[in-house]
Amino acid sequence: MGEPLLELRDMTVTYHTGRGPVPAVRGVDLVVDTGQTVGLAGESGCGKSTVALAVLRLLPTTARLGGKVLLNGEDVVAMKWGRLRAVRWASASVVFQGAMHALNPVRPVGEQLAEPILLHGGAGANTVSSRVGDLLEQVGLPARRARAYPHELSGGQRQRVMIAMALACDPQLIIADEPTTALDVMVQAQVLDLVSRLVSELGIGLMMISHDLSVLASTCQRLAVMYAGRIIEQGPARQVLQAPAHPYTKALSAAFPTIGDPESRLAPRGLPGDPPDPSALPPGCPFHPRCPSAFADCVDTDVALRPVDTGRSAACLLEVRP
Amino acid sequence: MIGPVSTALAPDLAPPTTPGGRGGGTVRHLATKLGGAVVSLLMVIVLGFFLFRVLPGDPVKTITRGAPVGPQQLAALRHELGLDKPIAAQFVDYLAQLARGDLGESYQFRVPVSTLIGERIGPTVLLVGVATALAILVGLWLGTRAAWRRGSRFDRISTGVALLLWSAPTFWLGLVLLTVTGNLFPSQGLINPNTPAGFLPQTLDLLHHLTLPCLTLVAVLYAQYLLVMRSSLLEEMNADYLVTAKAKGLRDDLVRRRHAVPNAMLPTVTLIFLNLGLVVSGAVTVETVFSWPGLGLLTYQALQGPDLPLLQGLFVVLAGAVLVMNLIAELLYQVIDPRVRAT
Amino acid sequence: MSTPSPTAIAWQRRRAAVGRVWQEFLSDRGGLFGLAALSLIVALAVFAPLLSDASGLDPTHATGRPLEAPSGHFLLGTDNLGRSVLLQVWWGARISLLVGVLATLVSVGIGTLVGVAAAHFGGWTSAVLMRFTDFFLVLPSLVLAIALSTVLNRGIFAIVLAVGVTSWPSTARLVRAQTLAVESRPYIERAWALGAGHVHVIIRHVLPAVAALVFANTTLTVANSIIAESTLSFLGLGDPNAASWGEMLNAALGSGAVTYGAWWYLLPPGLAIALVVLAFMLAGRALETVLNPRLRER
Ligand SMILES: Nc1ncnc2c1ncn2[C@@H]1O[C@H](COP(=O)(O)OP(=O)(O)OP(=O)(O)O)[C@@H](O)[C@H]1O
Ligand SMILES: [Mg+2]
């Protein structure tokens, strides 16, 4: 079984809006192996959620998806609708950003947990409620909470429900899009713990998305850093954090955002300027206007990701100059 | 009058914020609502009294407008109608009457107003009920399809037609229908006196008479349900939980049927009841055009006098009905939306 | 050059905002159609005395036979008194529009007053005013308008008053919400701190900020008022001498146009009402969408 669980090859996503095209993802290559946890980091608006949604083709109709998304070697982009529906949730599931809105507000959470199980034939109608109860207990909620409505649960509890839901059909891959944002520090740590434990117990591949490097540092084996719709550095998590190759990663890790600090989400401390607008990217390296070590060539060279070490790569001109 | 347009086009019926605690909260909430409704009803009564007894100055002059009557006759009439007492005393009398269910006597028909209203209420309920039910079915169905295929030709045409019909005055639509259908449908009344007795012929004849007025009301009413359902569903369609539903592998039509539509219906259900004011005014003109013997036609007849006690009674009854429907709408919302339902 | 004064900057910003709104409005096809139709109709109504001969409206000068079908001479046929239907519809626009606009002014005036007061003074005043508004909001307004125009002396002004007095609550709610939003902005706090009075804050800060949405709402209210006017006139509560479209329909019904099948007498006034109402509604809706980001396509 040589092929990876999930492989993105030159994935591009462009939103077509009334104000022209927005290239939100501009060629991303990423691999997640079975049982591996890969982190995807980056500032708000760099395209992380877009990548997550694109894996299961959940993007709005205004979005165009290009490249290849290989899930167990099968290209999701080319899948027929019927096959796609069968793959969704059964092979890969998503823990969405903001569980408050990702749950249907007017249905009991148990019903929403049972929905994919029934749909994918994971259990008969009579065993489904016990399965729902098991799932809830697995994430540390009493089984009777199945009757609760989302608004009757706390933020952390809702997030647990989302995680239980993601586990419902025993997928091989879970994509967790900022599973801990908007939770307070204590709860955040609990939820992260839970995710890591479940993933290692069940041997699931996990793609963990966050703007918060500290979250990823504690959970991921590999780390990819995104900027303006591209991965600008990736490698083993520890190495990337301790010896970043790209100036952007340097700035991110130097400013090591405190957990739960909403300010750090927008612009890491020590990094001047705003994240770029994807519909009007600067020429050359998109990071050059904010880069402390930018030089003349950065303005007109659009530099691609290239190896910097074993298993590591970065997209910066500095890294290839002697 | 056709209700607040902007509300119809962009309903601001976001669920009310969750009322405080549970258990005791529900009872308190219920009591507040009921209390509010009672206060409103009292205000209607006061307003009705003000409009028809105080504002006209001397009602006797209005009644006898144009008729050659001497001052003694006027005074006698005034005494007979209790209009020679001070206003405050008249108001107290009026309240006492109301408490006994007495709405006064019609100048024109010389029968108690309550009797008249009782006779006419059936046809109106029939007409308005059937028309509302049909309008809801048609409107919700078209609105759902239009929203789901936003921007399609179906969406553009159905929204356009709805807006056009909604812009036309109700009574005019009725007149046009009458002219266009020629003799296909009876132009007035509830039932033809020559219809043979028996359930089936009577019912068929009634339906025959009902067709045109009902169609007219539906034409005006369905637009609002369509537009509200459409915009409410469009709003709902941006909701993240629909992406979750899609991610679970649900077919598009199941996403719509199980998640989007039921949730979008919640504000629409409320609107159906809130809309009763609109239905009432629609009924006045439609009943007039088709001589449908209901409360609307009665209102028109009362206007001819003007028959002030009858108008006053109708005002209180119609406004009261709308207030009650509003109360029902609010209470219903508590029941159907778990976000505001306190268990 | 000296630096521009704060007021100048504010006005500049406001002008820029108007330009932006205008640009976005232009991209709404429905709104554009509405605006074009309205401009045309209003121009025709205003210049009717210059472009046509009002004497044709006088029954004694009628040149046609009663209920003549459309022909080259009378493009839309004649009414029961032999007058041109086309001419009547044309002149009827003046009255219908006038009543619609006047009623809207009354309604928006009351609504703005109540809304600003409810938001600005808060507390007890606000509670009472909002209770009052909610009460009028659910009251069947046609029934109330019928009541009012019955007891007032019949005529255009009774109708203006009846429609105006019954249709203000939605404006009041809108204005209140907007005022609350505006007054929570920091620059208002600053104005308070600098010792500005109620009147100053309301006139200089609140009203300019809420004006745009009120204006959008106004166009919708005109549409409502025109339908309401036609309904009241149709019920015989109007002024027979002020031949609005509703009054025309009332006359058509009274003269047996329906039984006679005189569609040319029946259709034009109603279509005119529908067209004007639709135009107001489309323009108002487009404007509201542009101004209210919450409604904007997401
Ligand atoms: N439906 C859409 N239409 C147009 N542009 C969009 C749409 N969704 C996202 N975008 C744009 O695409 C870019 C990437 O958005 P995305 O949601 O993927 O960012 P993100 O990295 O997940 O940010 P965050 O950390 O805030 O969640 C943003 O600039 C955003 O404005
Ligand atoms: Mg995101």
Side-chain angles (χ1 to χ4, degrees):
Chain A
M1 71 158 259
E3 72 199 7
L5 176 57
L6 173 73
E7 183 179 0
L8 311 182
R9 278 196 208 147
D10 192 28
M11 178 208 263
T12 56
V13 178
T14 307
Y15 292 104
H16 291 272
T17 65
R19 292 179 193 81
V22 180
V25 177
R26 307 180 301 135
V28 161
D29 295 277
L30 192 71
V31 172
V32 182
D33 285 317
T34 309
Q36 192 185 34
T37 302
V38 174
L40 189 61
E43 278 169 293
S44 186
C46 70
K48 305 182 299 288
S49 298
T50 306
V51 169
L53 291 177
V55 170
L56 288 177
R57 273 170 55 190
L58 296 168
L59 295 163
T61 47
T62 52
R64 292 284 165 280
L65 171 61
K68 274 189 171 17
V69 179
L70 301 174
L71 192 58
N72 285 320
E74 204 181 342
D75 189 4
V76 174
V77 181
M79 267 181 201
K80 294 231 164 49
W81 282 108
R83 176 72 191 134
L84 180 63
R85 281 198 297 269
V87 165
R88 282 175 177 174
W89 223 257
S91 301
S93 58
V94 188
V95 177
F96 286 99
Q97 184 171 4
M100 177 70 216
H101 302 290
L103 293 169
N104 187 333
V106 296
R107 282 174 175 249
V109 294
E111 217 175 275
Q112 302 185 51
L113 277 169
E115 194 171 30
I117 302 174
L118 290 170
L119 190 73
H120 294 284
N126 40 354
T127 53
V128 91
S129 68
S130 71
R131 172 85 176 120
V132 167
D134 290 349
L135 283 169
L136 285 174
E137 272 162 11
Q138 209 168 2
V139 296
L141 285 175
R144 64 186 158 76
R145 297 304 272 162
R147 281 195 301 276
Y149 288 93
H151 71 271
E152 294 168 343
L153 300 174
S154 72
Q157 286 173 327
R158 276 197 291 265
Q159 202 62 59
R160 284 162 191 269
V161 169
M162 266 318 288
I163 293 168
M165 198 144 96
L167 295 171
C169 297
D170 299 318
Q172 297 133 286
L173 174 70
I174 291 182
I175 300 164
D177 188 357
E178 314 221 14
T180 57
T181 316
L183 299 182
D184 66 58
V185 188
M186 287 295 291
V187 185
Q188 196 167 0
Q190 285 170 8
V191 170
L192 282 178
D193 250 22
L194 175 72
V195 173
S196 322
R197 186 169 53 77
L198 288 172
V199 166
S200 63
E201 271 172 19
L202 303 171
I204 298 175
L206 174 68
M207 181 155 118
M208 175 85 117
I209 296 177
S210 181
H211 63 278
D212 191 339
L213 280 184
S214 57
V215 165
L216 300 178
S218 61
T219 43
C220 301
Q221 283 118 44
R222 287 185 67 79
L223 189 58
V225 181
M226 263 184 101
Y227 189 79
R230 277 203 192 149
I231 291 178
I232 47 94
E233 172 158 14
Q234 64 171 312
R238 185 160 313 162
Q239 289 179 32
V240 172
L241 287 170
Q242 283 170 357
H246 195 285
Y248 177 63
T249 320
K250 284 194 186 110
L252 270 190
S253 57
F256 221 83
T258 19
I259 294 189
D261 174 12
E263 289 293 317
S264 62
R265 166 181 193 74
L266 301 173
R269 255 171 289 138
L271 190 58
D274 298 322
D277 173 5
S279 55
L281 288 177
C285 170
F287 185 56
H288 84 259
R290 303 166 73 190
C291 184
S293 22
F295 56 98
D297 285 358
C298 295
V299 181
D300 45 25
T301 320
D302 192 8
V303 52
L305 205 60
R306 52 190 114 194
V308 289
D309 203 342
T310 39
R312 287 191 65 183
S313 48
C316 181
L317 289 179
L318 282 173
E319 282 305 317
V320 289
R321 277 156 54 106
Chain B
M1 245 142 297
I2 47 181
V5 183
S6 47
T7 316
L9 299 171
D12 196 11
L13 292 168
T17 41
T18 319
R22 300 182 178 181
T26 316
V27 175
R28 202 169 52 236
H29 188 69
L30 202 78
T32 322
K33 289 282 171 242
L34 267 176
V38 170
V39 171
S40 292
L41 199 61
L42 282 177
M43 282 165 79
V44 164
I45 291 170
V46 174
L47 188 64
F49 186 82
F50 175 77
L51 277 174
F52 296 99
R53 289 276 181 92
V54 182
L55 215 54
D58 190 354
V60 171
K61 283 237 176 66
T62 322
I63 308 164
T64 57
R65 190 188 288 164
V69 265
Q72 288 96 2
Q73 276 166 297
L74 280 181
L77 197 55
R78 236 174 244 136
H79 183 72
E80 186 194 324
L81 297 172
L83 296 174
D84 49 356
K85 296 188 199 165
I87 285 291
Q90 286 188 37
F91 186 61
V92 171
D93 282 355
Y94 177 64
L95 283 184
Q97 271 184 13
L98 267 186
R100 291 193 305 269
D102 180 359
L103 290 169
E105 195 187 270
S106 155
Y107 293 162
Q108 202 177 349
F109 297 91
R110 292 283 158 197
V111 272
V113 168
S114 49
T115 316
L116 276 173
I117 291 180
E119 279 168 8
R120 300 292 192 92
I121 210 162
T124 294
V125 170
L126 177 71
L127 174 62
V128 165
V130 174
T132 306
L134 285 177
I136 290 170
L137 284 180
V138 174
L140 296 193
W141 186 72
L142 290 176
T144 308
R145 289 198 37 155
W148 207 255
R149 302 208 218 133
R150 162 181 221 178
S152 67
R153 182 195 301 224
F154 178 86
D155 179 23
R156 285 202 310 273
I157 293 181
S158 60
T159 317
V161 170
L163 277 176
L164 190 68
L165 285 177
W166 196 58
S167 304
T170 321
F171 62 89
W172 178 72
L173 280 181
L175 290 178
V176 171
L177 268 182
L178 258 183
T179 320
V180 169
T181 55
N183 290 327
L184 275 181
F185 293 96
S187 67
Q188 52 177 306
L190 195 59
I191 216 150
N192 190 332
N194 301 329
T195 311
F199 179 73
L200 195 63
Q202 291 275 334
T203 313
L204 283 179
D205 190 48
L206 183 64
L207 286 180
H208 197 203
H209 281 82
L210 185 63
T211 312
L212 284 189
C214 189
L215 217 59
T216 312
L217 263 184
V218 170
V220 181
L221 291 178
Y222 92 93
Q224 201 168 19
Y225 298 122
L226 185 158
L227 295 171
V228 168
M229 188 63 196
R230 180 176 177 276
S231 63
S232 152
L233 191 54
L234 280 180
E235 193 144 318
E236 212 61 46
M237 272 163 57
N238 293 311
D240 292 340
Y241 67 81
L242 291 186
V243 179
T244 312
K246 240 174 36 173
K248 286 175 180 172
L250 244 53
R251 277 203 321 269
D252 268 10
D253 61 322
L254 279 182
V255 173
R256 168 169 40 166
R257 269 217 308 275
R258 276 202 204 156
H259 293 275
V261 172
N263 292 14
M265 289 256 282
L266 295 178
T268 317
V269 169
T270 327
L271 183 90
I272 289 170
F273 284 87
L274 291 179
N275 239 359
L276 259 109
L278 165 69
V279 183
V280 164
S281 46
V284 172
T285 51
V286 170
E287 288 185 7
T288 306
V289 169
F290 293 98
S291 303
W292 183 263
L295 293 180
L297 185 63
L298 189 62
T299 309
Y300 180 71
Q301 289 167 331
L303 279 178
Q304 305 313 309
D307 190 339
L308 293 178
L310 184 50
L311 276 176
Q312 190 176 357
L314 282 166
F315 177 77
V316 170
V317 168
L318 292 179
V322 173
L323 288 178
V324 170
M325 288 301 162
N326 273 294
L327 184 66
I328 293 180
E330 291 198 30
L331 299 183
L332 198 65
Y333 205 82
Q334 302 272 310
V335 177
I336 60 174
D337 192 334
R339 279 167 295 188
V340 290
R341 179 170 67 204
T343 37
Chain C
M1 285 296 288
S2 62
T3 46
S5 73
T7 342
I9 293 176
W11 276 109
Q12 213 173 351
R13 204 171 328 121
R14 241 163 241 165
R15 254 200 309 278
V18 168
R20 209 166 48 240
V21 164
W22 179 241
Q23 282 303 319
E24 284 190 35
F25 185 87
L26 287 185
S27 66
D28 186 316
R29 284 226 306 271
L32 214 55
F33 163 79
L35 190 66
L38 279 184
S39 316
L40 184 70
I41 294 168
V42 169
L44 279 176
V46 169
F47 296 115
L50 300 178
L51 301 173
S52 67
D53 184 5
S55 69
L57 295 172
D58 186 346
T60 52
H61 292 112
T63 51
R65 281 173 291 111
L67 294 180
E68 217 178 295
S71 63
H73 189 55
F74 294 110
L75 286 179
L76 291 177
T78 61
D79 71 352
N80 55 325
L81 300 174
R83 296 174 294 177
S84 160
V85 171
L86 179 62
L87 194 67
Q88 273 182 285
V89 170
W90 190 348
W91 281 74
R94 291 165 68 87
I95 309 220
S96 287
L97 286 175
L98 184 71
V99 172
V101 169
L102 287 181
T104 303
L105 287 182
V106 174
S107 155
V108 168
I110 302 178
T112 308
L113 215 65
V114 173
V116 167
H120 187 81
F121 296 105
W124 196 79
T125 324
S126 168
V128 170
L129 282 176
M130 284 330 281
R131 185 80 193 74
F132 201 62
T133 308
D134 284 345
F135 171 70
F136 270 92
L137 195 63
V138 299
L139 218 55
S141 44
L142 178 73
V143 179
L144 186 57
I146 287 179
L148 270 175
S149 37
T150 322
V151 294
L152 299 173
N153 280 326
R154 294 190 183 195
I156 287 188
F157 287 97
I159 289 201
V160 166
L161 216 62
V163 175
V165 166
T166 51
S167 57
W168 58 268
S170 57
T171 311
R173 296 194 99 178
L174 180 75
V175 170
R176 176 173 169 270
Q178 284 292 306
T179 309
L180 284 177
V182 170
E183 293 203 339
S184 66
R185 289 187 198 152
Y187 68 84
I188 302 277
E189 309 245 318
R190 215 157 48 231
W192 285 122
L194 292 174
H198 288 300
V199 175
H200 176 85
V201 168
I202 290 177
I203 291 185
R204 294 300 299 276
H205 297 291
V206 174
L207 285 183
V210 304
L213 262 184
V214 170
F215 183 68
N217 185 258
T218 306
T219 51
L220 298 170
T221 313
V222 180
N224 266 342
S225 304
I226 289 179
I227 289 207
E229 185 275 335
S230 75
T231 305
L232 291 178
S233 293
F234 170 74
L235 292 174
L237 294 168
D239 178 357
N241 299 318
S244 69
W245 292 326
E247 201 60 54
M248 273 184 82
L249 284 169
N250 185 26
L253 189 67
S255 65
V258 177
T259 22
Y260 192 81
W263 53 267
W264 59 87
Y265 191 9
L266 219 50
L267 284 186
L271 280 179
I273 295 174
L275 180 69
V276 169
V277 170
L278 191 66
F280 268 114
M281 218 160 58
L282 287 175
R285 183 160 79 145
L287 198 57
E288 208 175 42
T289 317
V290 172
L291 292 174
N292 189 348
R294 209 184 72 81
L295 300 177
R296 211 175 290 168
E297 195 174 338
R298 277 164 303 177

